[in-house]
Amino acid sequence: MQELKLATYNVNSVRARKELLLSWLEREAPDILCLQETKVLDVDFPFEELRKLGYECFTNGQKGYNGVAICTKLLSSKLITKTNFKTIDAQSRFIAINISDIWVLNCYFPHGDVRGSDKFNFKLSFYEEFMQFLEENFSPDLNLLLVGDMNVALEDIDVYDPSLFVDAVCTMPEERGALKKIIDWGLVDTFRTLNSSEPGYTWWEYGAAIWKNEGLRIDYILATDSIFKNFTKVWVDLWPRRRRSPKPSDHAPVIAKFTL
Amino acid sequence: MQELKLATYNVNSVRARKELLLSWLEREAPDILCLQETKVLDVDFPFEELRKLGYECFTNGQKGYNGVAICTKLLSSKLITKTNFKTIDAQSRFIAINISDIWVLNCYFPHGDVRGSDKFNFKLSFYEEFMQFLEENFSPDLNLLLVGDMNVALEDIDVYDPSLFVDAVCTMPEERGALKKIIDWGLVDTFRTLNSSEPGYTWWEYGAAIWKNEGLRIDYILATDSIFKNFTKVWVDLWPRRRRSPKPSDHAPVIAKFTL
DNA sequence: GCACCACCAG
DNA sequence: CTGGTGGTGC
Protein backbone atom coordinates (compact mmCIF):
# COMPACT_ATOMS: atom_id res chain seq x y z
CA MET A 1 0.00 0.00 0.00
CA GLN A 2 1.44 3.25 -1.25
CA GLU A 3 0.66 6.75 0.01
CA LEU A 4 0.39 9.50 -2.56
CA LYS A 5 0.49 13.23 -2.16
CA LEU A 6 -1.26 15.47 -4.66
CA ALA A 7 -1.11 19.27 -4.72
CA THR A 8 -2.99 21.90 -6.70
CA TYR A 9 -1.51 25.37 -6.88
CA ASN A 10 -2.48 28.50 -8.77
CA VAL A 11 1.01 29.95 -9.10
CA ASN A 12 0.11 33.18 -10.86
CA SER A 13 3.01 32.89 -13.32
CA VAL A 14 5.38 29.96 -13.21
CA ARG A 15 8.19 32.27 -14.35
CA ALA A 16 7.72 34.85 -11.59
CA ARG A 17 7.25 31.99 -9.11
CA LYS A 18 10.00 29.64 -10.27
CA GLU A 19 12.32 30.06 -7.29
CA LEU A 20 9.55 29.85 -4.73
CA LEU A 21 7.96 26.89 -6.48
CA LEU A 22 11.21 24.95 -6.60
CA SER A 23 12.04 25.53 -2.94
CA TRP A 24 8.49 24.63 -1.97
CA LEU A 25 8.73 21.41 -4.01
CA GLU A 26 11.93 20.47 -2.23
CA ARG A 27 10.09 20.81 1.08
CA GLU A 28 6.74 19.32 0.19
CA ALA A 29 7.60 16.97 -2.69
CA PRO A 30 4.08 16.02 -3.82
CA ASP A 31 3.91 13.05 -6.18
CA ILE A 32 1.47 14.87 -8.42
CA LEU A 33 1.38 18.63 -8.90
CA CYS A 34 -1.37 20.51 -10.75
CA LEU A 35 -0.59 24.09 -11.66
CA GLN A 36 -2.88 26.87 -12.84
CA GLU A 37 -2.14 30.29 -14.27
CA THR A 38 1.29 29.31 -15.44
CA LYS A 39 1.16 32.24 -17.90
CA VAL A 40 3.76 30.80 -20.24
CA LEU A 41 3.94 29.30 -23.67
CA ASP A 42 4.79 25.59 -23.49
CA VAL A 43 8.30 26.29 -24.86
CA ASP A 44 8.98 28.58 -21.89
CA PHE A 45 7.83 26.15 -19.19
CA PRO A 46 10.71 25.23 -16.83
CA PHE A 47 10.70 21.53 -17.74
CA GLU A 48 14.37 21.05 -16.95
CA GLU A 49 14.33 22.50 -13.44
CA LEU A 50 11.34 20.33 -12.55
CA ARG A 51 12.87 17.24 -14.10
CA LYS A 52 15.82 17.72 -11.76
CA LEU A 53 13.38 17.37 -8.88
CA GLY A 54 11.98 14.21 -10.40
CA TYR A 55 8.93 15.55 -12.20
CA GLU A 56 7.78 14.90 -15.73
CA CYS A 57 5.61 17.82 -16.82
CA PHE A 58 2.72 18.10 -19.23
CA THR A 59 1.56 21.56 -20.20
CA ASN A 60 -1.23 23.42 -21.90
CA GLY A 61 0.03 26.97 -22.02
CA GLN A 62 -0.61 30.15 -23.94
CA LYS A 63 0.85 33.60 -24.18
CA GLY A 64 0.46 36.01 -21.31
CA TYR A 65 -2.25 34.49 -19.16
CA ASN A 66 -4.10 31.30 -18.20
CA GLY A 67 -2.08 28.11 -18.74
CA VAL A 68 -2.15 24.83 -16.80
CA ALA A 69 0.28 21.97 -16.18
CA ILE A 70 0.46 18.59 -14.52
CA CYS A 71 3.80 17.46 -13.10
CA THR A 72 4.21 13.92 -11.88
CA LYS A 73 6.83 11.70 -10.30
CA LEU A 74 4.82 8.66 -11.42
CA LEU A 75 4.29 7.15 -14.81
CA SER A 76 1.34 8.57 -16.70
CA SER A 77 -0.70 7.99 -19.83
CA LYS A 78 -3.59 9.35 -21.88
CA LEU A 79 -2.83 13.06 -21.80
CA ILE A 80 -5.81 15.28 -22.68
CA THR A 81 -5.44 18.94 -23.55
CA LYS A 82 -8.36 19.29 -25.94
CA THR A 83 -11.99 18.62 -25.10
CA ASN A 84 -13.62 19.68 -28.35
CA PHE A 85 -15.91 21.93 -26.35
CA LYS A 86 -15.77 25.44 -27.75
CA THR A 87 -15.64 27.47 -24.55
CA ILE A 88 -13.34 25.09 -22.71
CA ASP A 89 -10.86 24.95 -25.57
CA ALA A 90 -11.01 28.68 -26.30
CA GLN A 91 -8.19 29.29 -23.83
CA SER A 92 -5.52 27.18 -22.11
CA ARG A 93 -7.48 26.22 -19.01
CA PHE A 94 -7.65 22.43 -18.98
CA ILE A 95 -5.31 19.47 -18.89
CA ALA A 96 -5.90 15.88 -17.75
CA ILE A 97 -3.86 12.74 -17.46
CA ASN A 98 -4.14 9.22 -16.17
CA ILE A 99 -1.78 8.26 -13.35
CA SER A 100 -1.89 4.85 -11.63
CA ASP A 101 -5.40 4.28 -12.93
CA ILE A 102 -6.56 7.62 -11.55
CA TRP A 103 -7.86 10.36 -13.81
CA VAL A 104 -6.38 13.70 -12.78
CA LEU A 105 -8.35 16.57 -14.29
CA ASN A 106 -6.74 19.96 -13.73
CA CYS A 107 -8.77 23.03 -14.58
CA TYR A 108 -8.48 26.80 -14.25
CA PHE A 109 -12.12 27.88 -14.34
CA PRO A 110 -12.75 31.45 -15.54
CA HIS A 111 -12.74 34.26 -12.99
CA GLY A 112 -15.90 35.87 -14.33
CA ASP A 113 -17.04 39.39 -13.57
CA VAL A 114 -20.25 41.22 -12.69
CA ARG A 115 -23.51 39.50 -13.58
CA GLY A 116 -24.44 39.95 -17.23
CA SER A 117 -20.93 40.77 -18.44
CA ASP A 118 -19.25 38.81 -21.24
CA LYS A 119 -16.84 37.29 -18.74
CA PHE A 120 -19.67 36.25 -16.46
CA ASN A 121 -21.43 34.51 -19.34
CA PHE A 122 -18.15 32.91 -20.41
CA LYS A 123 -17.71 31.49 -16.91
CA LEU A 124 -21.23 30.01 -16.85
CA SER A 125 -20.85 28.56 -20.36
CA PHE A 126 -17.52 27.09 -19.34
CA TYR A 127 -19.11 25.39 -16.33
CA GLU A 128 -22.02 24.08 -18.42
CA GLU A 129 -19.70 22.67 -21.05
CA PHE A 130 -17.49 21.17 -18.39
CA MET A 131 -20.51 19.38 -16.91
CA GLN A 132 -21.31 17.97 -20.34
CA PHE A 133 -17.68 17.04 -20.92
CA LEU A 134 -17.63 15.08 -17.66
CA GLU A 135 -20.87 13.28 -18.45
CA GLU A 136 -19.80 12.35 -21.94
CA ASN A 137 -16.27 11.18 -21.15
CA PHE A 138 -16.10 9.97 -17.57
CA SER A 139 -18.16 8.20 -14.95
CA PRO A 140 -18.48 8.82 -11.19
CA ASP A 141 -17.50 5.15 -10.78
CA LEU A 142 -13.97 5.87 -11.97
CA ASN A 143 -11.04 6.90 -9.79
CA LEU A 144 -11.18 10.57 -10.73
CA LEU A 145 -9.84 13.78 -9.26
CA LEU A 146 -10.99 17.18 -10.47
CA VAL A 147 -8.67 19.81 -9.05
CA GLY A 148 -7.82 23.42 -9.65
CA ASP A 149 -8.96 26.98 -9.26
CA MET A 150 -12.75 26.87 -9.52
CA ASN A 151 -13.15 30.61 -8.89
CA VAL A 152 -16.19 29.85 -6.75
CA ALA A 153 -16.48 29.99 -2.97
CA LEU A 154 -19.21 27.42 -2.39
CA GLU A 155 -20.66 28.38 0.99
CA ASP A 156 -20.54 31.22 3.50
CA ILE A 157 -17.87 29.37 5.48
CA ASP A 158 -15.64 29.68 2.42
CA VAL A 159 -15.72 33.49 2.58
CA TYR A 160 -14.05 35.58 5.30
CA ASP A 161 -16.92 38.05 5.52
CA PRO A 162 -20.08 36.94 3.71
CA SER A 163 -21.73 40.33 4.26
CA LEU A 164 -19.16 41.84 1.91
CA PHE A 165 -19.89 39.23 -0.76
CA VAL A 166 -23.44 39.74 -1.93
CA ASP A 167 -23.60 39.36 -5.70
CA ALA A 168 -19.83 39.50 -5.69
CA VAL A 169 -17.64 37.56 -8.11
CA CYS A 170 -17.09 33.94 -6.97
CA THR A 171 -20.08 33.93 -4.61
CA MET A 172 -23.11 34.58 -6.83
CA PRO A 173 -25.86 31.94 -6.74
CA GLU A 174 -25.36 31.17 -10.44
CA GLU A 175 -21.66 30.51 -9.89
CA ARG A 176 -22.22 28.43 -6.78
CA GLY A 177 -24.95 26.51 -8.59
CA ALA A 178 -22.63 25.77 -11.48
CA LEU A 179 -19.97 24.27 -9.22
CA LYS A 180 -22.56 22.39 -7.14
CA LYS A 181 -23.87 20.78 -10.31
CA ILE A 182 -20.37 19.49 -11.06
CA ILE A 183 -20.08 18.13 -7.53
CA ASP A 184 -23.55 16.57 -7.68
CA TRP A 185 -22.46 14.62 -10.73
CA GLY A 186 -20.57 12.46 -8.27
CA LEU A 187 -17.70 14.24 -6.58
CA VAL A 188 -16.73 14.92 -2.99
CA ASP A 189 -15.44 18.32 -1.85
CA THR A 190 -12.59 16.61 -0.06
CA PHE A 191 -11.30 19.53 1.98
CA ARG A 192 -14.70 20.50 3.37
CA THR A 193 -15.73 16.91 4.03
CA LEU A 194 -12.59 16.28 6.08
CA ASN A 195 -12.48 19.75 7.66
CA SER A 196 -15.97 20.88 8.58
CA SER A 197 -15.13 23.91 10.71
CA GLU A 198 -11.81 25.28 9.41
CA PRO A 199 -12.46 27.81 6.63
CA GLY A 200 -9.53 26.68 4.49
CA TYR A 201 -9.09 29.82 2.46
CA THR A 202 -6.89 29.36 -0.60
CA TRP A 203 -6.82 32.89 -1.96
CA TRP A 204 -6.18 36.31 -0.47
CA GLU A 205 -6.07 39.55 -2.40
CA TYR A 206 -2.54 40.96 -2.70
CA GLY A 207 -1.73 43.46 0.02
CA ALA A 208 -2.68 43.17 3.69
CA ALA A 209 -5.40 40.50 3.26
CA ILE A 210 -3.15 37.54 4.05
CA TRP A 211 -2.03 39.08 7.34
CA LYS A 212 -5.66 39.65 8.35
CA ASN A 213 -6.66 36.25 6.94
CA GLU A 214 -9.27 37.83 4.72
CA GLY A 215 -9.52 35.05 2.17
CA LEU A 216 -11.76 32.88 0.05
CA ARG A 217 -11.72 29.15 -0.57
CA ILE A 218 -11.81 28.89 -4.36
CA ASP A 219 -9.24 26.12 -5.02
CA TYR A 220 -10.47 22.55 -4.66
CA ILE A 221 -9.57 18.91 -4.74
CA LEU A 222 -12.76 17.10 -5.77
CA ALA A 223 -12.79 13.30 -5.85
CA THR A 224 -15.08 10.45 -6.78
CA ASP A 225 -16.12 8.18 -3.92
CA SER A 226 -13.93 5.29 -5.01
CA ILE A 227 -10.81 7.36 -4.51
CA PHE A 228 -12.08 9.57 -1.70
CA LYS A 229 -12.47 6.53 0.55
CA ASN A 230 -8.68 6.27 0.47
CA PHE A 231 -8.14 9.93 1.43
CA THR A 232 -6.38 10.46 4.73
CA LYS A 233 -5.90 14.22 4.84
CA VAL A 234 -6.50 17.44 2.89
CA TRP A 235 -5.04 20.80 3.88
CA VAL A 236 -4.07 24.25 2.68
CA ASP A 237 -0.34 24.90 2.83
CA LEU A 238 0.20 28.50 3.90
CA TRP A 239 3.99 28.30 3.70
CA PRO A 240 4.37 29.73 0.19
CA ARG A 241 1.66 32.35 0.70
CA ARG A 242 2.91 33.79 3.98
CA ARG A 243 6.19 35.21 2.83
CA ARG A 244 7.38 38.52 1.59
CA SER A 245 10.18 37.40 -0.68
CA PRO A 246 10.40 35.94 -3.14
CA LYS A 247 6.96 37.38 -3.80
CA PRO A 248 4.28 34.71 -3.49
CA SER A 249 1.28 33.92 -5.63
CA ASP A 250 -2.04 35.29 -4.36
CA HIS A 251 -3.15 31.64 -3.96
CA ALA A 252 -1.93 28.93 -1.58
CA PRO A 253 -1.61 25.27 -2.59
CA VAL A 254 -4.13 22.64 -1.47
CA ILE A 255 -2.62 19.25 -0.71
CA ALA A 256 -4.19 15.82 -0.29
CA LYS A 257 -2.84 12.50 0.94
CA PHE A 258 -4.44 9.25 -0.11
CA THR A 259 -3.47 5.61 -0.30
CA LEU A 260 -3.33 3.54 -3.40
CA MET B 1 42.02 74.21 3.50
CA GLN B 2 39.15 71.86 2.87
CA GLU B 3 39.09 68.87 0.52
CA LEU B 4 35.90 68.29 -1.44
CA LYS B 5 34.69 65.24 -3.28
CA LEU B 6 32.31 65.60 -6.22
CA ALA B 7 30.67 62.74 -8.12
CA THR B 8 28.61 62.58 -11.30
CA TYR B 9 26.52 59.50 -11.90
CA ASN B 10 24.02 58.55 -14.58
CA VAL B 11 21.91 56.24 -12.42
CA ASN B 12 19.43 55.14 -15.11
CA SER B 13 16.44 55.48 -12.76
CA VAL B 14 16.89 56.66 -9.20
CA ARG B 15 13.99 54.42 -8.16
CA ALA B 16 15.42 51.20 -9.64
CA ARG B 17 18.84 52.20 -8.26
CA LYS B 18 17.81 53.49 -4.82
CA GLU B 19 19.30 50.66 -2.77
CA LEU B 20 22.54 50.55 -4.73
CA LEU B 21 22.84 54.34 -4.68
CA LEU B 22 22.35 54.55 -0.93
CA SER B 23 24.88 51.84 -0.14
CA TRP B 24 27.35 53.43 -2.55
CA LEU B 25 26.85 56.82 -0.87
CA GLU B 26 27.57 55.29 2.52
CA ARG B 27 30.89 54.02 1.13
CA GLU B 28 31.96 56.94 -0.97
CA ALA B 29 30.15 59.88 0.66
CA PRO B 30 30.86 62.61 -1.92
CA ASP B 31 30.14 66.14 -0.74
CA ILE B 32 28.41 66.95 -4.00
CA LEU B 33 26.51 64.44 -6.12
CA CYS B 34 25.20 65.11 -9.61
CA LEU B 35 22.69 62.60 -10.96
CA GLN B 36 21.41 62.10 -14.48
CA GLU B 37 18.56 59.99 -15.82
CA THR B 38 16.73 59.97 -12.54
CA LYS B 39 13.54 59.14 -14.47
CA VAL B 40 11.22 60.41 -11.75
CA LEU B 41 8.86 63.26 -11.19
CA ASP B 42 10.21 65.60 -8.52
CA VAL B 43 7.50 64.41 -6.08
CA ASP B 44 8.83 60.86 -6.37
CA PHE B 45 12.49 61.69 -5.78
CA PRO B 46 13.81 59.98 -2.60
CA PHE B 47 14.55 63.24 -0.76
CA GLU B 48 14.08 61.71 2.68
CA GLU B 49 16.46 58.78 2.25
CA LEU B 50 19.17 61.12 0.98
CA ARG B 51 18.55 63.64 3.72
CA LYS B 52 19.27 60.86 6.22
CA LEU B 53 22.72 60.56 4.65
CA GLY B 54 23.24 64.29 4.99
CA TYR B 55 22.27 65.47 1.51
CA GLU B 56 19.99 68.28 0.50
CA CYS B 57 18.66 67.54 -2.98
CA PHE B 58 17.56 69.78 -5.82
CA THR B 59 15.76 68.18 -8.73
CA ASN B 60 14.58 68.79 -12.25
CA GLY B 61 12.58 65.70 -13.09
CA GLN B 62 9.93 64.59 -15.52
CA LYS B 63 7.81 61.53 -16.14
CA GLY B 64 9.41 58.36 -17.43
CA TYR B 65 12.79 59.48 -18.67
CA ASN B 66 15.55 62.11 -18.43
CA GLY B 67 15.66 63.96 -15.11
CA VAL B 68 18.63 65.42 -13.21
CA ALA B 69 19.43 66.26 -9.60
CA ILE B 70 22.13 67.83 -7.48
CA CYS B 71 22.57 66.57 -3.92
CA THR B 72 24.89 68.40 -1.56
CA LYS B 73 26.17 68.17 1.99
CA LEU B 74 27.19 71.83 1.79
CA LEU B 75 25.14 74.99 1.77
CA SER B 76 24.05 76.09 -1.66
CA SER B 77 22.39 79.01 -3.40
CA LYS B 78 21.16 80.26 -6.78
CA LEU B 79 19.45 77.15 -8.10
CA ILE B 80 18.89 77.14 -11.88
CA THR B 81 16.53 74.71 -13.59
CA LYS B 82 15.44 76.88 -16.49
CA THR B 83 17.74 78.40 -19.10
CA ASN B 84 15.16 80.00 -21.40
CA PHE B 85 16.76 78.14 -24.29
CA LYS B 86 14.11 76.23 -26.19
CA THR B 87 15.93 72.97 -26.80
CA ILE B 88 17.62 72.84 -23.40
CA ASP B 89 14.37 73.47 -21.54
CA ALA B 90 12.30 71.13 -23.73
CA GLN B 91 13.10 68.22 -21.41
CA SER B 92 14.44 67.83 -17.86
CA ARG B 93 18.14 67.69 -18.65
CA PHE B 94 19.76 70.56 -16.81
CA ILE B 95 20.19 71.80 -13.27
CA ALA B 96 22.80 74.10 -11.75
CA ILE B 97 23.58 75.48 -8.33
CA ASN B 98 26.20 77.54 -6.56
CA ILE B 99 28.11 75.82 -3.77
CA SER B 100 30.97 77.50 -1.90
CA ASP B 101 31.38 80.03 -4.68
CA ILE B 102 31.60 77.26 -7.28
CA TRP B 103 29.06 76.93 -10.05
CA VAL B 104 28.04 73.30 -10.45
CA LEU B 105 26.34 72.74 -13.81
CA ASN B 106 24.84 69.27 -14.17
CA CYS B 107 23.62 68.24 -17.61
CA TYR B 108 22.28 65.15 -19.31
CA PHE B 109 23.07 65.84 -22.96
CA PRO B 110 20.85 64.05 -25.53
CA HIS B 111 21.84 60.62 -26.74
CA GLY B 112 21.21 61.38 -30.40
CA ASP B 113 20.83 58.81 -33.12
CA VAL B 114 22.00 58.25 -36.69
CA ARG B 115 23.12 61.31 -38.62
CA GLY B 116 20.22 63.29 -40.02
CA SER B 117 17.59 61.92 -37.66
CA ASP B 118 15.44 64.20 -35.51
CA LYS B 119 17.27 63.05 -32.40
CA PHE B 120 20.64 63.73 -33.99
CA ASN B 121 19.56 67.25 -34.84
CA PHE B 122 18.11 67.70 -31.36
CA LYS B 123 21.48 66.74 -29.87
CA LEU B 124 23.40 69.23 -32.04
CA SER B 125 20.89 72.01 -31.33
CA PHE B 126 21.15 71.23 -27.63
CA TYR B 127 24.94 71.55 -27.75
CA GLU B 128 24.74 74.81 -29.72
CA GLU B 129 22.26 76.31 -27.31
CA PHE B 130 24.34 75.13 -24.38
CA MET B 131 27.38 76.91 -25.81
CA GLN B 132 25.35 80.10 -26.10
CA PHE B 133 23.93 79.63 -22.62
CA LEU B 134 27.46 79.35 -21.20
CA GLU B 135 28.67 82.42 -23.05
CA GLU B 136 25.73 84.54 -22.03
CA ASN B 137 25.60 83.57 -18.36
CA PHE B 138 29.04 82.53 -17.21
CA SER B 139 32.70 83.26 -17.72
CA PRO B 140 35.73 80.95 -17.89
CA ASP B 141 37.19 83.06 -15.10
CA LEU B 142 34.64 81.76 -12.62
CA ASN B 143 34.99 78.66 -10.48
CA LEU B 144 32.78 76.49 -12.62
CA LEU B 145 32.23 72.76 -13.05
CA LEU B 146 30.24 71.31 -15.93
CA VAL B 147 29.53 67.68 -15.22
CA GLY B 148 27.27 64.94 -16.47
CA ASP B 149 26.57 62.54 -19.28
CA MET B 150 27.76 64.28 -22.44
CA ASN B 151 26.92 61.33 -24.69
CA VAL B 152 30.12 61.97 -26.62
CA ALA B 153 33.35 59.96 -26.53
CA LEU B 154 35.87 62.67 -27.39
CA GLU B 155 38.84 60.74 -28.76
CA ASP B 156 39.76 57.25 -29.89
CA ILE B 157 41.20 56.50 -26.45
CA ASP B 158 37.71 57.01 -25.07
CA VAL B 159 36.32 54.09 -27.12
CA TYR B 160 37.16 50.41 -26.53
CA ASP B 161 37.37 49.61 -30.24
CA PRO B 162 37.45 52.68 -32.50
CA SER B 163 37.14 50.51 -35.61
CA LEU B 164 33.62 49.60 -34.51
CA PHE B 165 32.71 53.26 -34.04
CA VAL B 166 32.79 54.91 -37.42
CA ASP B 167 29.85 57.29 -37.76
CA ALA B 168 28.43 55.65 -34.66
CA VAL B 169 26.38 57.51 -32.06
CA CYS B 170 28.60 59.40 -29.56
CA THR B 171 31.67 59.34 -31.82
CA MET B 172 30.64 61.25 -34.95
CA PRO B 173 32.78 64.28 -35.84
CA GLU B 174 29.80 66.61 -35.43
CA GLU B 175 29.19 65.31 -31.90
CA ARG B 176 32.86 65.45 -30.93
CA GLY B 177 33.09 68.94 -32.43
CA ALA B 178 30.12 70.10 -30.39
CA LEU B 179 31.67 68.96 -27.11
CA LYS B 180 35.12 70.28 -28.08
CA LYS B 181 33.58 73.69 -28.67
CA ILE B 182 32.20 73.66 -25.13
CA ILE B 183 35.62 72.68 -23.78
CA ASP B 184 37.37 75.31 -25.90
CA TRP B 185 35.20 77.95 -24.28
CA GLY B 186 37.46 77.51 -21.29
CA LEU B 187 37.12 74.13 -19.62
CA VAL B 188 39.52 71.32 -18.76
CA ASP B 189 38.64 67.67 -19.36
CA THR B 190 39.82 66.86 -15.86
CA PHE B 191 39.89 63.05 -16.11
CA ARG B 192 41.88 62.98 -19.33
CA THR B 193 44.25 65.71 -18.23
CA LEU B 194 45.10 63.84 -15.03
CA ASN B 195 45.02 60.35 -16.62
CA SER B 196 46.57 60.42 -20.05
CA SER B 197 46.83 56.68 -20.70
CA GLU B 198 43.97 55.03 -18.79
CA PRO B 199 40.84 54.88 -20.96
CA GLY B 200 38.45 55.68 -18.10
CA TYR B 201 35.32 54.24 -19.62
CA THR B 202 32.15 55.33 -17.85
CA TRP B 203 29.53 53.40 -19.80
CA TRP B 204 29.19 49.78 -20.92
CA GLU B 205 26.20 48.35 -22.75
CA TYR B 206 24.09 46.06 -20.59
CA GLY B 207 25.08 42.41 -20.93
CA ALA B 208 28.62 41.07 -21.15
CA ALA B 209 30.34 44.38 -22.08
CA ILE B 210 31.40 45.27 -18.53
CA TRP B 211 33.13 41.92 -18.05
CA LYS B 212 35.05 42.41 -21.29
CA ASN B 213 35.60 46.10 -20.49
CA GLU B 214 34.03 47.15 -23.78
CA GLY B 215 33.10 50.67 -22.78
CA LEU B 216 33.01 54.30 -23.75
CA ARG B 217 33.98 57.41 -21.81
CA ILE B 218 30.95 59.65 -22.16
CA ASP B 219 30.57 61.05 -18.61
CA TYR B 220 32.76 64.02 -17.71
CA ILE B 221 33.84 66.41 -15.05
CA LEU B 222 34.86 69.59 -16.87
CA ALA B 223 36.34 72.47 -14.90
CA THR B 224 37.53 76.01 -15.42
CA ASP B 225 41.23 76.61 -14.81
CA SER B 226 40.69 78.47 -11.55
CA ILE B 227 39.17 75.41 -9.95
CA PHE B 228 41.11 72.78 -11.89
CA LYS B 229 44.35 73.99 -10.40
CA ASN B 230 43.02 72.73 -7.05
CA PHE B 231 42.16 69.27 -8.42
CA THR B 232 44.10 66.41 -6.86
CA LYS B 233 42.48 63.34 -8.44
CA VAL B 234 39.75 62.22 -10.86
CA TRP B 235 38.70 58.59 -11.30
CA VAL B 236 35.95 56.27 -12.44
CA ASP B 237 34.46 54.22 -9.62
CA LEU B 238 33.71 50.74 -10.95
CA TRP B 239 32.25 49.48 -7.68
CA PRO B 240 28.59 50.12 -8.48
CA ARG B 241 28.94 48.96 -12.10
CA ARG B 242 30.64 45.65 -11.46
CA ARG B 243 27.93 43.90 -9.58
CA ARG B 244 25.12 41.62 -10.48
CA SER B 245 22.62 42.52 -7.79
CA PRO B 246 21.06 44.84 -7.07
CA LYS B 247 21.17 45.49 -10.81
CA PRO B 248 23.48 48.39 -11.60
CA SER B 249 23.10 51.33 -13.93
CA ASP B 250 24.80 50.97 -17.31
CA HIS B 251 27.03 53.90 -16.28
CA ALA B 252 29.69 54.19 -13.57
CA PRO B 253 30.21 57.33 -11.47
CA VAL B 254 33.11 59.70 -12.09
CA ILE B 255 34.59 61.22 -8.94
CA ALA B 256 36.89 64.19 -8.39
CA LYS B 257 38.75 65.48 -5.39
CA PHE B 258 39.79 69.10 -5.12
CA THR B 259 40.76 71.54 -2.41
CA LEU B 260 38.91 74.67 -1.53
C1' DG C 1 19.84 44.37 -21.85
C1' DC C 2 16.91 47.15 -18.87
C1' DA C 3 14.57 51.14 -17.49
C1' DC C 4 10.08 53.63 -18.35
C1' DC C 5 4.82 53.84 -20.14
C1' DA C 6 -0.03 52.36 -21.14
C1' DC C 7 -2.99 48.70 -21.19
C1' DC C 8 -5.16 44.10 -19.81
C1' DA C 9 -6.13 40.35 -16.44
C1' DG C 10 -6.63 38.63 -11.84
C1' DC D 1 -1.25 44.98 -5.67
C1' DT D 2 1.05 42.01 -9.16
C1' DG D 3 1.45 39.46 -12.99
C1' DG D 4 1.44 39.61 -18.37
C1' DT D 5 1.81 42.42 -23.15
C1' DG D 6 3.71 45.69 -26.58
C1' DG D 7 5.93 50.16 -27.29
C1' DT D 8 9.81 53.61 -26.57
C1' DG D 9 14.22 55.33 -25.12
C1' DC D 10 19.10 54.56 -24.55
Side-chain angles (χ1 to χ4, degrees), chain A residues 96-233:
Chain A
I97 208 161
N98 201 287
I99 300 171
S100 299
D101 205 34
I102 301 165
W103 272 108
V104 179
L105 278 52
N106 176 21
C107 192
Y108 172 47
F109 287 85
H111 175 79
D113 198 349
V114 291
R115 181 178 287 119
S117 65
D118 287 354
K119 284 176 185 170
F120 179 81
N121 296 331
F122 181 78
K123 183 175 190 172
L124 293 188
S125 302
F126 193 103
Y127 263 102
E128 274 168 42
E129 284 189 10
F130 202 87
M131 185 68 226
Q132 238 186 299
F133 169 69
L134 274 183
E135 283 171 338
E136 291 180 14
N137 295 278
F138 302 93
S139 147
D141 298 329
L142 297 168
N143 289 323
L144 184 147
L145 298 167
L146 170 57
V147 314
D149 178 356
M150 277 56 172
N151 267 314
V152 172
L154 264 183
E155 312 278 353
D156 278 357
I157 188 182
D158 302 317
V159 179
Y160 73 94
D161 184 347
S163 73
L164 296 175
F165 287 80
V166 262
D167 275 344
V169 179
C170 297
T171 61
M172 284 182 266
E174 299 92 318
E175 300 173 281
R176 287 176 164 176
L179 178 53
K180 274 178 192 143
K181 221 168 143 185
I182 301 273
I183 290 173
D184 289 344
W185 171 74
L187 295 169
V188 178
D189 177 356
T190 64
F191 178 88
R192 180 57 67 230
T193 305
L194 296 176
N195 307 272
S196 54
S197 59
E198 191 197 333
Y201 306 140
T202 64
W203 175 85
W204 302 256
E205 186 133 31
Y206 275 119
I210 181 67
W211 311 113
K212 300 191 274 182
N213 198 25
E214 296 179 347
L216 302 182
R217 188 172 73 99
I218 58 178
D219 300 270
Y220 294 82
I221 294 175
L222 307 178
T224 51
D225 283 321
S226 60
I227 176 155
F228 179 61
K229 66 172 190 280
N230 301 315
F231 267 54
T232 51
K233 203 181 164 195

Side-chain angles (χ1 to χ4, degrees), chain B residues 20-243:
Chain B
L20 180 59
L21 180 62
L22 293 176
S23 57
W24 176 68
L25 283 176
E26 293 205 60
R27 286 172 63 97
E28 208 55 45
D31 303 285
I32 303 166
L33 170 67
C34 296
L35 298 173
Q36 302 89 38
E37 284 207 84
T38 53
K39 294 186 176 178
V40 274
L41 290 171
D42 293 342
V43 289
D44 297 321
F45 190 90
F47 288 103
E48 209 34 64
E49 285 94 331
L50 281 159
R51 189 190 308 277
K52 278 183 194 140
L53 296 181
Y55 294 96
E56 188 176 11
C57 298
F58 304 90
T59 60
N60 179 12
Q62 67 173 94
K63 202 189 207 175
Y65 61 117
N66 301 321
V68 286
I70 297 178
C71 309
T72 171
K73 295 193 170 197
L74 309 172
L75 282 180
S76 63
S77 62
K78 300 181 214 163
L79 178 70
I80 305 175
T81 55
K82 208 163 157 294
T83 66
N84 293 317
F85 282 86
K86 197 166 56 74
T87 311
I88 299 177
D89 290 346
Q91 300 173 332
S92 292
R93 294 178 170 276
F94 178 73
I95 190 168
I97 208 161
N98 201 288
I99 300 172
S100 299
D101 204 34
I102 300 166
W103 273 108
V104 178
L105 279 52
N106 175 22
C107 191
Y108 172 46
F109 286 85
H111 176 78
D113 197 348
V114 292
R115 181 178 289 120
S117 64
D118 286 353
K119 284 176 186 170
F120 179 81
N121 295 331
F122 181 77
K123 184 175 189 172
L124 292 189
S125 301
F126 194 104
Y127 263 102
E128 274 168 43
E129 284 188 10
F130 203 87
M131 185 68 227
Q132 236 184 300
F133 168 69
L134 274 183
E135 283 171 337
E136 290 179 14
N137 294 276
F138 302 95
S139 147
D141 299 327
L142 295 168
N143 289 322
L144 184 147
L145 298 166
L146 169 58
V147 313
D149 178 355
M150 275 57 171
N151 267 312
V152 171
L154 263 184
E155 311 279 353
D156 278 357
I157 188 183
D158 302 315
V159 178
Y160 73 93
D161 184 348
S163 73
L164 297 174
F165 288 79
V166 262
D167 275 343
V169 179
C170 299
T171 61
M172 283 182 267
E174 299 93 318
E175 300 173 280
R176 288 176 163 174
L179 177 53
K180 273 178 193 143
K181 222 167 143 185
I182 301 271
I183 291 172
D184 289 343
W185 171 73
L187 295 167
V188 179
D189 177 356
T190 63
F191 178 88
R192 183 55 68 228
T193 306
L194 297 176
N195 307 272
S196 56
S197 59
E198 191 198 334
Y201 306 140
T202 63
W203 174 86
W204 302 257
E205 186 134 30
Y206 276 119
I210 182 67
W211 310 112
K212 301 191 273 180
N213 199 23
E214 297 179 348
L216 302 181
R217 188 173 72 100
I218 58 179
D219 300 271
Y220 294 82
I221 295 174
L222 307 179
T224 51
D225 282 320
S226 60
I227 176 157
F228 179 62
K229 65 172 191 279
N230 300 314
F231 267 54
T232 51
K233 204 182 164 193
V234 184
W235 72 99
V236 179
D237 185 0
L238 297 174
W239 185 85
R241 185 62 182 88
R242 295 181 74 88
R243 44 199 52 234

